């Protein structure tokens, strides 16, 4: 869905529901196929000594780009600056409409992270999928539902959810650079597989949750508050 169509999508609840169902179903099918045909093989590939020596260290560095605390802090700072500081800065007084847009954008980012994050943790707790690094052969079919230990919180990927939430929101704010946000988010997601914290199926559905959760949050902010972006 091109970002310029988000406004049209969010203004039509029926169309939004159909879109979200389609995205969830496609993502779930892709994740299911990956679970049976791709997950173990890809994890084994990234466990090979030559591959590990080449990719693990840079992947470990890049994967931290998706830590949620960075974006919660950024959202709060943008919202607070645009609400209380920017309106009193002389150079910005002629751009108050833009300042107010970024105030609302920061608030929407914060809500998106919260909504998508809650969905992710419910799925993690319910599924109880064991992380790849917990078995020597990277068995992708071990599930212990309703456990709180992070070793059984592989599905779905929280980092993937966070980076796709951010990528979607960045596409809303800076649509001319949307060609960058999503590919970069996909690259960050892949690092979760390289470092053996997740399977391919985990990052597929994690990305789905990030996107779907963001649209749900944008719709919530549009309908229930005066701080919607559309």
């Amino acid at each position: 869905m091109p970002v310029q169509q988000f406004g049209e999508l969010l203004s039509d609840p029926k169309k939004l529901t159909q879109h979200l169902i389609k995205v969830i179903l496609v993502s779930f099918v892709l994740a299911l196929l990956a679970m049976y045909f791709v997950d173990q093989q890809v994890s084994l590939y990234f466990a090979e000594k030559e591959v590990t020596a080449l990719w693990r260290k840079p992947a470990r560095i890049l994967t931290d780009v998706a830590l949620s605390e960075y974006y919660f802090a950024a959202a709060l700072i943008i919202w607070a600056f645009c609400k209380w500081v920017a309106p009193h800065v002389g150079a910005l007084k002629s751009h108050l409409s833009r300042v107010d847009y970024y105030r609302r954008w920061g608030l929407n980012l914060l809500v998106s992270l919260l909504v998508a994050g809650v969905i992710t943790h419910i799925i993690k707790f319910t599924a109880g999928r064991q992380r790849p690094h917990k078995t020597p052969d990277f068995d992708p079919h071990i599930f212990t539902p309703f456990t709180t230990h992070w070793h059984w919180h592989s599905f779905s990927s929280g980092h993937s959810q966070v980076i796709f939430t951010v990528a979607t929101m960045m596409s809303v704010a800076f649509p001319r650079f949307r060609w960058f946000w999503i590919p970069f988010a996909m690259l960050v997601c892949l690092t979760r597989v390289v470092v053996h914290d997740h399977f391919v199926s985990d990052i597929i559905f994690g990305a789905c949750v990030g996107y779907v959760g963001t649209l749900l949050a944008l719709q919530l902010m549009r309908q229930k508050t005066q701080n919607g972006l559309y």
Side-chain angles (χ1 to χ4, degrees):
M1 175 63 65
V3 291
Q4 62 265 30
Q5 294 183 20
F6 279 0
E8 177 186 348
L9 189 63
L10 293 172
S11 65
D12 187 337
K14 183 178 179 181
K15 186 180 292 185
L16 176 63
T17 300
Q18 291 173 343
H19 176 67
L20 294 182
I21 291 173
K22 185 187 301 183
V23 170
I24 292 169
L25 287 177
V26 170
S27 299
F28 184 77
V29 169
L30 289 175
L32 198 61
L33 290 172
M35 184 181 300
Y36 282 97
F37 300 109
V38 175
D39 281 357
Q40 189 171 34
Q41 290 82 351
V42 172
S43 294
L44 286 169
Y45 171 75
F46 283 113
E48 295 177 5
K49 288 185 178 180
E50 298 81 2
V51 179
T52 299
L54 182 63
W55 293 112
R56 187 173 180 84
K57 187 173 181 179
R60 177 52 68 186
I61 295 171
L62 182 59
T63 201
D64 286 343
V65 169
L67 288 172
S68 62
E69 49 263 41
Y70 297 154
Y71 304 104
F72 276 111
L76 285 169
I77 290 169
I78 292 169
W79 171 71
F81 177 81
C82 291
K83 182 176 177 64
W84 286 301
V85 179
H88 304 289
V89 177
L92 296 177
K93 287 186 176 180
S94 60
H95 304 283
L96 290 182
S97 61
R98 198 64 181 167
V99 167
D100 185 65
Y101 174 82
Y102 285 115
R103 175 191 66 78
R104 289 181 285 120
W105 184 85
L107 188 58
N108 276 259
L109 173 59
L110 180 62
V111 175
S112 296
L113 289 167
L114 288 170
V115 170
V118 168
I119 295 171
T120 294
H121 281 86
I122 290 173
I123 294 172
K124 283 178 177 290
F125 175 71
T126 304
R129 189 184 196 186
Q130 186 170 275
R131 292 185 184 270
H133 62 77
K134 290 302 293 178
T135 58
D137 60 346
F138 305 106
D139 187 344
H141 305 299
I142 300 176
F143 293 84
T144 307
F146 309 113
T147 180
T148 58
H149 199 291
W150 77 278
H151 283 165
W152 282 267
H153 284 180
S154 189
F155 186 87
S156 57
S157 168
H159 281 62
S160 299
Q161 168 257 301
V162 169
I163 202 63
F164 259 82
T165 296
V166 173
T168 305
M169 288 300 297
M170 292 297 284
S171 296
V172 169
F174 307 102
R176 291 194 343 189
F177 297 99
R178 59 184 179 272
W179 57 267
F180 171 77
W181 309 125
I182 301 303
F184 178 73
M186 293 172 66
L187 177 62
V188 175
C189 289
L190 181 59
T191 65
R192 305 303 292 157
V193 178
V194 177
V195 300
H196 292 135
D197 277 345
H198 288 285
F199 294 104
V200 172
S201 55
D202 299 332
I203 67 172
I204 290 173
F205 208 73
C208 167
V209 173
Y211 176 74
V212 169
T214 301
L215 290 187
L216 289 174
L218 291 174
Q219 177 74 334
L220 175 68
M221 294 296 287
R222 180 181 182 276
Q223 291 185 334
K224 303 298 183 181
T225 77
Q226 300 297 315
N227 295 294
L229 292 175
Y230 294 96

